[in-house]
Amino acid sequence: MTKRMDLFDIVIYVFITVLSFMCLYPFLMVVAGSLSSQSSILNNGYKLIPEEWTLGSYKALFISGKSIPRAYGVTILVTTVGTGLSLIINTMMGFVLARKEVRGRKLLNLYVLFTMLFTGGMVPWYIVCVNYLNLKNTLWALIMPMLVNAWYIFLIRNFMMSIPGEMYESAKIDGANDYQVFFRIYLSLAKPVLATVGLFVALRYWNDWWLGLMLVDKPQLQPLQLLLHTIISNIQFLKTMNASPEMQRVWSSVPTEGLRMAMVVVSIGPIVLLYPFVQKYFVKGIMVGAVKG
Amino acid sequence: MDKIKFQPNMRGRKKLGALGKLRKLNWRLYSMALPAVILLALFSYWPMFGLVLAFKDFKFKDGIFGSQWMDPFFDHFELLYTSPDAINALKNTLTLNFSFIIVGTISALTLAILLNEVKHNNFKKFSQSITFLPFFVSWVVVGAFLAEILNYDNGIINRILVMLNLERIAFYMEPKYWPTILNIENIWKNMGYNAVVYLAAISGIDSSYYEAAAIDGASRFQKIRYITLPLLKSTIIILVLLALGRIMNADFGMFFYSTKGLYSLWETTDVIDVFVYRGLRVTGNIGIASAAGFLQSGISLIVVLVFNAIARKMDKDSALF
């Protein structure tokens, strides 16, 4: 059967192409802008293909000191530790909620569910974190508040509930205690849902700016996204107050906009590079969650 | 299996009473639940006590429980409903969220249906990937993108305007463009993600419906109109209801990083969450911020319960509970 294209098809293809291009445009614009020279921007504005190529913006960015690698370090550390801990904590809870013989199961479920329906709000949360938990300006401040997530707990619970009860029974008969049942059996059976949740959690930690914004003032502890925000809002300021003449020379020849774009490229680089490889897991994860609901 | 297991329970219960029950409590299982329980207690439940701050005169050194009660009791709330900024924030939150739900649903649904119609698999996969990509960048990055696009001198929009011999627009000074800008941002970031949800639902539709329609001579357009859309109706309604349940809560990141909290744009872009943030961190006006947060949480709870109940009536499995 030949695939004939009718008018409807053409309209669809054009429409989707336009949509895709609009989704992609900002990324292309930012890469091109980061590679454009000052003069070409002044004369021609931004183009998708720069008139004059230069790596000047990137040079200026890395001369400006250790803040970028440090922010990267903070974010990588927070993401790996946070994702690991979060997976363990959420999965254990999901496992417990999936066990029918747990007494008080309904209460525990409600305990978790209620947090999805009602919150104390921004102000009390902030006061608890800062005044009572002393989380201000620590690495844990960037990790702890996001460790538990009711949504993922329920996702994991539902998955584990779909694992046949006989697995648990036979393991118990063989004399295993619950820890062993969990770690040896259920954890490996739950690999699909763990991969999905793990990726979503990792993405949340990597992109997080909220915890940094609320709980961290020290520049050394700023995560990547927050540094991006700081640099972008302050680039004009940074340009005029540089100390060393070396930096002044480099910075004055670099377009303000080019610098901002370079900073954006540097922050989204890892995500865009990893995207083709991990994209399908996210899609699978959404489809599983969507089909359930 | 189960019957055999129950017998020891019964004996233990009769002999040792409460202690027997305790022994049967599986402490290992409970220990596995403990970290989550503690963390939720710390970060979700403890702050709930802080809701009383809406009625207190908060001083940092006194903490939540040491601070004095307000006199008059509802003074913070009185300040709130006489504050034009607060009312403006409420209006913007509701109208903008509502438009996001409508526009977002239509755009995601359209994309999903169109993608489903694409015959070339490679094109389909490629464009689905591209439209999904914006979901992966943070609002900080989107705000930076926006700043470049709306840039007065060099941004693409103003350059196009100049090419058409029109006046440049100083976007960051004109509130009237922003509801549109924000809706476009919302589409850009979320359309691909939501389209995946609808695509999942579409793939669940039995293909025999389409085959039967083809035999009856239905066109592609007719198939969409009479099969796809009606069968998606309940999915769409559920998702809309769930979204409505969150109508009191704005996406803080989106607003904060797109508008940079600029005063010039408050009229159409200030929302409750940014209003509370300002009170807490910028002006130090904890009282009014707490009152606003209190109302937001309270109304949000009611709204979520109501819309979830409606959703549950329609389709038992879909609601949150």
Side-chain angles (χ1 to χ4, degrees):
Chain A
M1 270 246 258
T2 51
K3 293 184 176 184
R4 271 173 38 239
M5 301 257 285
D6 57 19
L7 182 63
F8 197 39
D9 279 308
I10 298 182
V11 168
I12 293 178
Y13 276 75
V14 165
F15 194 68
I16 293 187
T17 308
V18 168
L19 277 179
S20 305
F21 180 71
M22 281 167 54
C23 283
L24 201 53
Y25 173 75
F27 296 92
L28 299 172
M29 164 190 76
V30 141
V31 169
S34 67
L35 294 170
S36 300
S37 70
Q38 171 90 329
S39 49
S40 81
I41 292 186
L42 283 178
N43 295 331
N44 307 312
Y46 301 120
K47 290 192 173 237
L48 275 184
I49 303 177
E51 292 283 319
E52 258 180 63
W53 300 82
T54 174
L55 285 176
S57 303
Y58 288 100
K59 269 193 214 147
L61 214 50
F62 283 101
I63 284 186
S64 60
K66 304 199 191 61
S67 48
I68 294 178
R70 186 181 289 129
Y72 253 96
V74 169
T75 298
I76 291 177
L77 182 65
V78 164
T79 302
T80 41
V81 173
T83 305
L85 281 181
S86 183
L87 272 179
I88 295 179
I89 294 177
N90 285 330
T91 310
M92 287 203 294
M93 189 63 174
F95 176 69
V96 172
L97 289 179
R99 298 275 98 241
K100 296 196 185 69
E101 66 273 4
V102 171
R103 293 195 66 203
R105 185 166 162 246
K106 282 216 178 101
L107 184 64
L108 272 179
N109 267 303
L110 188 60
Y111 181 80
V112 174
L113 177 69
F114 192 62
T115 64
M116 275 168 69
L117 302 174
F118 187 64
T119 63
M122 202 190 293
V123 175
W125 177 88
Y126 179 76
I127 292 177
V128 166
C129 285
V130 171
N131 282 19
Y132 293 97
L133 294 175
N134 285 317
L135 279 181
K136 193 103 183 172
N137 280 323
T138 69
L139 262 183
W140 282 110
L142 299 173
I143 299 177
M144 276 184 79
M146 289 206 315
L147 280 178
V148 194
N149 186 302
W151 187 257
Y152 298 136
I153 290 179
F154 286 140
L155 205 64
I156 295 173
R157 174 199 69 180
N158 292 345
F159 186 88
M160 293 206 166
M161 273 167 46
S162 72
I163 295 176
E166 287 76 48
M167 302 243 71
Y168 185 76
E169 308 290 353
S170 52
K172 275 310 208 44
I173 288 175
D174 288 342
N177 66 34
D178 282 294
Y179 290 149
Q180 291 165 322
V181 176
F182 175 72
F183 281 104
R184 296 226 185 117
I185 303 179
Y186 274 76
L187 219 46
S188 28
L189 284 177
K191 273 205 189 107
V193 79
L194 288 185
T196 301
V197 171
L199 280 174
F200 273 96
V201 170
L203 184 67
R204 271 195 82 196
Y205 271 111
W206 183 271
N207 274 342
D208 176 62
W209 43 265
W210 170 253
L211 293 178
L213 179 70
M214 295 300 272
L215 302 176
V216 172
D217 290 329
K218 264 200 266 182
Q220 302 96 310
L221 277 177
Q222 280 193 334
L224 195 60
Q225 299 300 319
L226 204 54
L227 181 70
L228 172 65
H229 174 68
T230 309
I231 287 193
I232 288 186
S233 353
N234 290 332
I235 268 192
Q236 197 59 44
F237 177 68
L238 282 170
K239 266 191 92 171
T240 52
M241 60 141 278
N242 272 315
S244 80
E246 152 83 17
M247 278 165 79
Q248 287 244 343
R249 189 175 54 77
V250 173
W251 276 60
S252 60
S253 68
V254 167
T256 315
E257 304 303 326
L259 256 174
R260 282 149 75 132
M261 308 250 211
M263 184 63 208
V264 172
V265 171
V266 162
S267 343
I268 62 177
I271 289 199
V272 173
L273 289 175
L274 285 177
Y275 182 66
F277 305 103
V278 297
Q279 184 240 156
K280 58 175 181 282
Y281 296 106
F282 282 92
V283 171
K284 259 194 217 148
I286 299 172
M287 288 195 157
V288 167
V291 166
K292 160 193 93 77
Chain B
M1 259 310 165
D2 282 9
K3 288 207 181 100
I4 300 173
K5 286 193 89 176
F6 273 139
Q7 272 174 356
N9 276 2
M10 300 269 281
R11 263 195 281 128
R13 212 180 280 168
K14 276 192 198 143
K15 269 193 180 167
L16 301 164
L19 208 57
K21 275 192 196 157
L22 214 66
R23 193 177 291 165
K24 263 300 144 188
L25 280 183
N26 195 330
W27 65 269
R28 285 196 186 87
L29 274 181
Y30 285 113
S31 71
M32 288 208 272
L34 202 59
V37 166
I38 292 181
L39 282 169
L40 283 176
L42 287 179
F43 292 103
S44 294
Y45 283 99
W46 194 351
M48 288 184 198
F49 289 100
L51 284 169
V52 299
L53 286 178
F55 305 97
K56 283 195 173 190
D57 185 15
F58 181 72
K59 302 269 184 271
F60 273 106
K61 61 175 175 58
D62 293 327
I64 297 180
F65 302 104
S67 296
Q68 298 300 310
W69 291 98
M70 284 298 288
D71 170 33
F73 200 52
F74 289 103
D75 214 29
H76 290 318
F77 290 91
E78 185 146 348
L79 276 177
L80 201 61
Y81 74 71
T82 54
S83 148
D85 284 341
I87 301 187
N88 182 50
L90 177 66
K91 170 202 87 168
N92 285 334
T93 307
L94 293 176
T95 54
L96 285 172
N97 271 345
F98 191 70
S99 68
F100 292 161
I101 294 175
I102 306 230
V103 171
T105 303
I106 295 178
S107 61
L109 196 56
T110 308
L111 180 63
I113 292 179
L114 289 184
L115 273 179
N116 192 51
E117 291 295 315
V118 169
K119 292 179 180 134
H120 291 95
N121 227 8
N122 286 332
F123 180 76
K124 183 175 175 179
K125 281 199 174 147
F126 186 68
S127 28
Q128 189 258 302
S129 297
I130 298 222
T131 52
F132 193 33
L133 177 62
F135 167 73
F136 288 82
V137 294
S138 75
W139 281 113
V140 184
V141 172
V142 181
F145 284 167
L146 194 67
E148 302 304 334
I149 293 177
L150 297 182
N151 187 288
Y152 188 74
D153 298 304
N154 290 313
I156 182 150
I157 300 203
N158 276 321
R159 273 202 292 131
I160 293 179
L161 286 177
V162 165
M163 267 204 309
L164 298 174
N165 267 322
L166 295 168
E167 287 272 309
R168 290 182 197 264
I169 302 177
F171 284 102
Y172 288 94
M173 312 270 271
E174 302 280 348
K176 66 182 182 212
Y177 296 104
W178 282 84
T180 311
I181 294 176
L182 290 168
N183 266 295
I184 295 179
E185 270 194 292
N186 179 49
I187 295 178
W188 184 85
K189 189 143 195 310
N190 294 316
M191 175 177 67
Y193 181 96
N194 291 322
V196 172
V197 176
Y198 287 118
L199 275 173
I202 292 178
S203 66
I205 296 178
D206 199 334
S207 58
S208 53
Y209 286 120
Y210 294 110
E211 285 158 23
I215 294 176
D216 284 345
S219 76
R220 291 243 295 279
F221 194 66
Q222 284 173 319
K223 281 184 196 164
I224 294 177
R225 199 167 150 220
Y226 294 111
I227 303 177
T228 315
L229 283 178
L231 286 175
L232 278 181
K233 202 170 70 164
S234 52
T235 308
I236 298 173
I237 293 183
I238 302 287
L239 288 173
V240 167
L241 286 176
L242 292 180
L244 282 172
R246 295 187 303 263
I247 200 167
M248 284 290 288
N249 304 297
D251 188 341
F252 179 84
M254 174 184 187
F255 285 90
F256 189 64
Y257 292 108
S258 303
T259 66
K260 322 238 181 262
L262 281 172
Y263 180 66
S264 49
L265 302 176
W266 279 9
E267 185 188 323
T268 53
T269 63
D270 197 28
V271 287
I272 298 179
D273 300 68
V274 180
F275 177 86
V276 174
Y277 171 80
R278 230 179 11 249
L280 174 66
R281 302 275 281 161
V282 178
T283 63
N285 209 332
I286 305 255
I288 204 173
S290 305
F294 180 92
L295 285 176
Q296 187 186 37
S297 295
I299 299 178
S300 200
L301 175 66
I302 298 174
V303 169
V304 153
L305 288 176
V306 163
F307 283 112
N308 253 273
I310 302 177
R312 190 162 36 135
K313 280 236 168 75
M314 301 201 56
D315 180 354
K316 200 136 195 274
D317 302 315
S318 301
L320 275 181
F321 54 91

mmCIF file of all heavy atoms in Angstrom, chain B residues 23 113 171 181 185 242:
data_model
loop_
_atom_site.group_PDB
_atom_site.id
_atom_site.type_symbol
_atom_site.label_atom_id
_atom_site.label_comp_id
_atom_site.label_asym_id
_atom_site.label_seq_id
_atom_site.Cartn_x
_atom_site.Cartn_y
_atom_site.Cartn_z
ATOM 1 N N ARG B 23 3.922 -7.704 69.842
ATOM 2 C CA ARG B 23 4.923 -8.620 69.309
ATOM 3 C C ARG B 23 4.652 -8.903 67.843
ATOM 4 O O ARG B 23 5.537 -9.159 67.072
ATOM 5 C CB ARG B 23 4.903 -9.920 70.103
ATOM 6 C CG ARG B 23 6.110 -10.797 69.818
ATOM 7 C CD ARG B 23 6.128 -12.026 70.657
ATOM 8 N NE ARG B 23 6.369 -11.738 72.068
ATOM 9 C CZ ARG B 23 6.147 -12.613 73.052
ATOM 10 N NH1 ARG B 23 5.665 -13.803 72.781
ATOM 11 N NH2 ARG B 23 6.405 -12.306 74.313
ATOM 12 N N ILE B 113 -3.188 14.688 18.861
ATOM 13 C CA ILE B 113 -3.988 14.152 17.762
ATOM 14 C C ILE B 113 -3.232 14.251 16.443
ATOM 15 O O ILE B 113 -3.198 13.308 15.653
ATOM 16 C CB ILE B 113 -5.337 14.889 17.667
ATOM 17 C CG1 ILE B 113 -6.183 14.541 18.888
ATOM 18 C CG2 ILE B 113 -6.070 14.512 16.391
ATOM 19 C CD1 ILE B 113 -7.522 15.218 18.911
ATOM 20 N N PHE B 171 8.778 45.443 26.135
ATOM 21 C CA PHE B 171 7.898 44.459 26.758
ATOM 22 C C PHE B 171 7.902 44.501 28.274
ATOM 23 O O PHE B 171 6.887 44.241 28.902
ATOM 24 C CB PHE B 171 8.269 43.049 26.284
ATOM 25 C CG PHE B 171 7.798 42.762 24.899
ATOM 26 C CD1 PHE B 171 8.678 42.799 23.833
ATOM 27 C CD2 PHE B 171 6.472 42.462 24.658
ATOM 28 C CE1 PHE B 171 8.241 42.544 22.540
ATOM 29 C CE2 PHE B 171 6.029 42.196 23.377
ATOM 30 C CZ PHE B 171 6.911 42.243 22.315
ATOM 31 N N ILE B 181 1.951 36.569 26.634
ATOM 32 C CA ILE B 181 3.319 36.044 26.708
ATOM 33 C C ILE B 181 3.363 34.836 27.643
ATOM 34 O O ILE B 181 3.959 33.806 27.330
ATOM 35 C CB ILE B 181 4.294 37.128 27.207
ATOM 36 C CG1 ILE B 181 4.394 38.254 26.195
ATOM 37 C CG2 ILE B 181 5.666 36.530 27.466
ATOM 38 C CD1 ILE B 181 5.263 39.403 26.659
ATOM 39 N N GLU B 185 4.373 31.010 26.875
ATOM 40 C CA GLU B 185 5.411 30.309 27.637
ATOM 41 C C GLU B 185 4.901 28.986 28.169
ATOM 42 O O GLU B 185 5.602 27.970 28.128
ATOM 43 C CB GLU B 185 5.829 31.157 28.836
ATOM 44 C CG GLU B 185 6.955 32.097 28.592
ATOM 45 C CD GLU B 185 7.491 32.623 29.909
ATOM 46 O OE1 GLU B 185 6.739 33.381 30.560
ATOM 47 O OE2 GLU B 185 8.605 32.276 30.269
ATOM 48 N N LEU B 242 -8.526 17.865 37.643
ATOM 49 C CA LEU B 242 -7.370 17.823 38.533
ATOM 50 C C LEU B 242 -6.586 19.127 38.471
ATOM 51 O O LEU B 242 -6.097 19.628 39.482
ATOM 52 C CB LEU B 242 -6.469 16.638 38.179
ATOM 53 C CG LEU B 242 -7.053 15.259 38.462
ATOM 54 C CD1 LEU B 242 -6.073 14.172 38.075
ATOM 55 C CD2 LEU B 242 -7.431 15.122 39.912
#
